[in-house]
């Protein structure tokens, strides 16, 4: 059986270095906001090309804290509107709702699954304060067009980079494309920790200082609280793991691209719609997502033939019970995507033999005529 994702095998590549790092932390006696976090923040900001990196507890918190930071700066107020893709994991939208702001959903471009930049302007009102593009599945959104709109209407751009570590858009790395960027280091990400972890990158000095304080109970000096903050700190152990794995991120992404290219060049079943890529560097293939109108039947066929797959994601945010007030709304392109998508196995440790098994099995599939 080809697993969808073998995290143990992925992390085995770094086993000795991780164990050595854990021992250093254990022996240091310092476990929160210590040298490992400082070092990772420096290394990751350097990697992204940004001035600042602020380690936080997870990717959802990263987005929530950015929005709270802009509130503290007076650039966003309660119940302001934030434009966001209708086709995204619900966390992006939850961050807006949890910040007492109003999500404004925009349909995706069916060729990329990212927000359709041509549909953003029609949703802008006097209450709109920011756009949150998502680099979904690992492919960069159309940032030039999005930033042009943002400049025209004086909007902030906050990109959700949870699936796009290391992606490059026109010579700039993700994490240095927007006013602020949120990252998740959930274990299954291209750069994954051994638990929950996240980060924010930005070139805004004032925002960075506020975020460092907010993440730590709103306190810069112990027992003196400047803001109504939260406890959302990247811990020393996860920072150490991320430091080890960051060194291999570009090579891991290269392997993902090689596997994706093999799929793209060799899968030829007419019942399958393959993903598109705008260029080689802008997609890091966190997920390899195909579409088929026979999704459930096709998924079962692959499972029977020893290939595990996953659906990212079966229910769009506007059809979730959590957003029952939106349940009667129609976002037809988003709904089509969620009904048809299926993610094939893709990771740096998939063998050439397994790659060809996936290709040949898919090409043998006989759809409903």
């Amino acid at each position: 059986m080809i697993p969808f994702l073998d995290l143990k095998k992925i992390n085995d590549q770094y086993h000795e270095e991780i164990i050595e790092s854990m021992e250093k932390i254990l022996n240091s006696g310092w476990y929160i906001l210590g040298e490992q976090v400082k070092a990772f923040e420096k290394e990751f900001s350097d990697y992204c090309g940004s001035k600042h990196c602020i380690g936080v507890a997870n990717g959802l918190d990263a987005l929530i804290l950015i929005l709270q930071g802009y509130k503290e700066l007076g650039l966003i107020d309660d119940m302001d509107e934030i434009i966001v893709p209708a086709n995204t994991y619900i966390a992006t939208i939850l961050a807006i709702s949890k910040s007492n702001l109003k999500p404004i959903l925009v349909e995706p471009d069916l060729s990329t699954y990212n927000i359709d930049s041509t549909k953003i302007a029609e949703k802008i009102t006097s209450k709109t304060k920011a756009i949150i593009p998502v680099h979904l599945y690992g492919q960069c959104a159309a940032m030039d067009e999005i930033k042009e709109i943002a400049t025209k209407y004086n909007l902030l751009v906050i990109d959700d980079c949870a699936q796009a570590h290391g992606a490059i858009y026109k010579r700039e790395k993700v994490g240095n494309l927007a006013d602020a960027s949120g990252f998740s280091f959930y274990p299954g990400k291209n750069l994954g920790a051994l638990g929950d972890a996240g980060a924010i990158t930005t070139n805004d000095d004032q925002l960075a200082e506020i975020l460092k304080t907010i993440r730590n109970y709103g306190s810069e000096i112990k027992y003196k609280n400047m803001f109504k903050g939260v406890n959302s700190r990247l811990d020393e152990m996860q920072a150490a793991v991320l430091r080890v794995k960051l060194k291999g991120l570009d090579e891991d992404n290269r392997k993902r691209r090689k596997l994706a290219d093999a799929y793209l060049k060799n899968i030829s079943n007419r019942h399958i719609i393959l993903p598109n890529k705008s260029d080689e560097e802008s997609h890091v293939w966190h997920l390899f997502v195909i579409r088929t109108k026979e999704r459930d039947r096709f998924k079962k066929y692959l499972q029977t033939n020893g290939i595990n797959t996953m659906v990212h994601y079966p229910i769009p945010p506007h059809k979730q019970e959590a957003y029952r007030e939106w349940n009667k709304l129609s976002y037809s392109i988003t709904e089509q995507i969620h009904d048809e998508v299926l993610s094939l196995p893709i990771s740096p440790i998939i063998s050439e033999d397994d790659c060809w098994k996936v290709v040949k099995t898919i090409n043998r599939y006989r759809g409903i005529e």
Side-chain angles (χ1 to χ4, degrees):
M1 178 69 72
I2 300 174
F4 176 73
L5 184 64
D6 189 339
L7 287 177
K8 182 181 183 302
K9 192 171 180 180
I10 288 172
N11 288 318
D12 277 348
Q13 304 170 97
Y14 307 102
H15 182 89
E16 290 184 11
E17 284 186 84
I18 289 173
I19 293 296
E20 184 180 341
S21 295
M22 294 299 102
E23 288 180 347
K24 286 180 181 178
I25 294 167
L26 185 62
N27 292 331
S28 75
W30 193 291
Y31 309 123
I32 297 289
L33 294 183
E35 293 304 315
Q36 292 294 330
V37 170
K38 288 178 185 175
F40 173 72
E41 289 176 336
K42 175 66 166 61
E43 290 160 7
F44 194 64
S45 63
D46 287 347
Y47 177 82
C48 294
S50 62
K51 287 179 69 176
H52 303 283
C53 171
I54 302 96
V56 297
N58 55 69
L60 175 57
D61 279 5
L63 295 176
I64 291 172
L65 265 64
I66 291 170
L67 292 168
Q68 186 177 347
Y70 281 126
K71 280 186 167 185
E72 297 292 352
L73 286 169
L75 299 178
I76 297 177
D77 294 316
D78 283 351
M79 297 314 298
D80 278 341
E81 296 174 354
I82 310 295
I83 288 175
V84 65
N87 180 48
T88 184
Y89 182 55
I90 197 170
T92 318
I93 297 170
L94 287 173
I96 301 169
S97 300
K98 287 292 183 183
S99 302
N100 200 26
L101 300 167
K102 185 178 179 181
I104 302 297
L105 307 185
V106 174
E107 285 269 54
D109 180 334
L110 191 57
S111 66
T112 65
Y113 309 126
N114 284 325
I115 192 169
D116 187 339
S117 60
T118 68
K119 296 177 179 177
I120 292 175
E122 65 192 46
K123 296 293 185 81
I124 294 172
T125 72
S126 60
K127 294 289 286 181
T128 308
K129 293 298 174 65
I131 306 170
I132 302 185
V134 181
H135 307 299
L136 197 65
Y137 309 147
Q139 177 158 227
C140 292
M143 293 300 287
D144 280 354
E145 291 87 344
I146 291 167
K147 288 194 283 188
E148 183 178 344
I149 294 166
T151 299
K152 180 177 179 180
Y153 292 96
N154 194 29
L155 305 177
L156 296 163
V157 179
I158 303 162
D159 56 345
D160 182 338
C161 307
Q163 300 184 3
H165 315 76
I168 298 172
Y169 181 85
K170 298 184 179 179
R171 300 185 180 179
E172 291 284 350
K173 275 227 179 79
V174 160
N176 194 33
L177 299 175
D179 295 297
S181 303
F183 286 88
S184 167
F185 303 120
Y186 182 79
K189 305 297 186 184
N190 290 38
L191 178 59
L194 298 185
D196 277 319
I200 299 160
T201 57
T202 184
N203 293 316
D204 186 325
D205 297 340
Q206 193 175 6
L207 177 65
E209 288 306 309
I210 288 174
L211 292 174
K212 288 176 185 177
T213 306
I214 292 174
R215 73 172 173 185
N216 188 38
Y217 299 102
S219 175
E220 187 175 355
I221 301 171
K222 196 167 186 178
Y223 303 130
K224 293 186 69 174
N225 302 82
M226 299 170 61
F227 306 106
K228 295 174 183 176
V230 297
N231 176 10
S232 182
R233 303 172 297 205
L234 176 64
D235 72 60
E236 286 286 279
M237 289 184 290
Q238 301 302 344
V241 171
L242 292 168
R243 290 186 69 200
V244 170
K245 296 181 70 176
L246 179 59
K247 292 180 286 187
L249 177 58
D250 285 342
E251 176 61 16
D252 283 352
N253 284 343
R254 185 193 67 78
K255 291 175 181 177
R256 287 175 179 271
R257 289 183 176 117
K258 182 179 180 182
L259 179 58
D261 282 344
Y263 284 163
L264 291 170
K265 291 174 182 175
N266 295 288
I267 293 174
S268 57
N269 194 304
R270 66 184 179 87
H271 298 282
I272 306 303
I273 299 171
L274 294 171
N276 294 307
K277 59 177 180 178
S278 53
D279 62 70
E280 197 65 32
E281 291 187 318
S282 68
H283 206 323
V284 291
W285 300 102
H286 172 61
L287 298 172
F288 190 96
V289 180
I290 60 94
R291 288 184 13 243
T292 174
K293 295 184 183 302
E294 307 169 15
R295 197 256 308 283
D296 294 342
R297 182 175 187 268
F298 182 59
K299 179 176 173 59
K300 185 176 180 180
Y301 163 81
L302 292 177
Q303 178 73 27
T304 301
N305 284 274
I307 300 168
N308 279 321
T309 59
M310 288 190 69
V311 177
H312 296 89
Y313 305 95
I315 305 172
H318 71 281
K319 295 297 184 183
Q320 297 283 358
E321 180 65 17
Y323 287 100
R324 61 185 68 86
E325 67 272 23
W326 292 344
N327 287 175
K328 292 182 180 180
L329 298 178
S330 176
Y331 292 90
S332 58
I333 299 173
T334 295
E335 289 159 23
Q336 178 186 350
I337 289 168
H338 284 249
D339 286 343
E340 296 179 356
V341 290
L342 187 68
S343 300
L344 303 182
I346 188 164
S347 79
I349 50 85
I350 291 180
S351 69
E352 190 172 335
D353 286 346
D354 283 347
C355 169
W356 284 108
K357 179 179 177 180
V358 171
V359 168
K360 291 175 181 177
T361 303
I362 290 174
N363 287 342
R364 287 198 304 267
Y365 173 71
R366 293 187 177 182
I368 300 169
E369 298 299 332

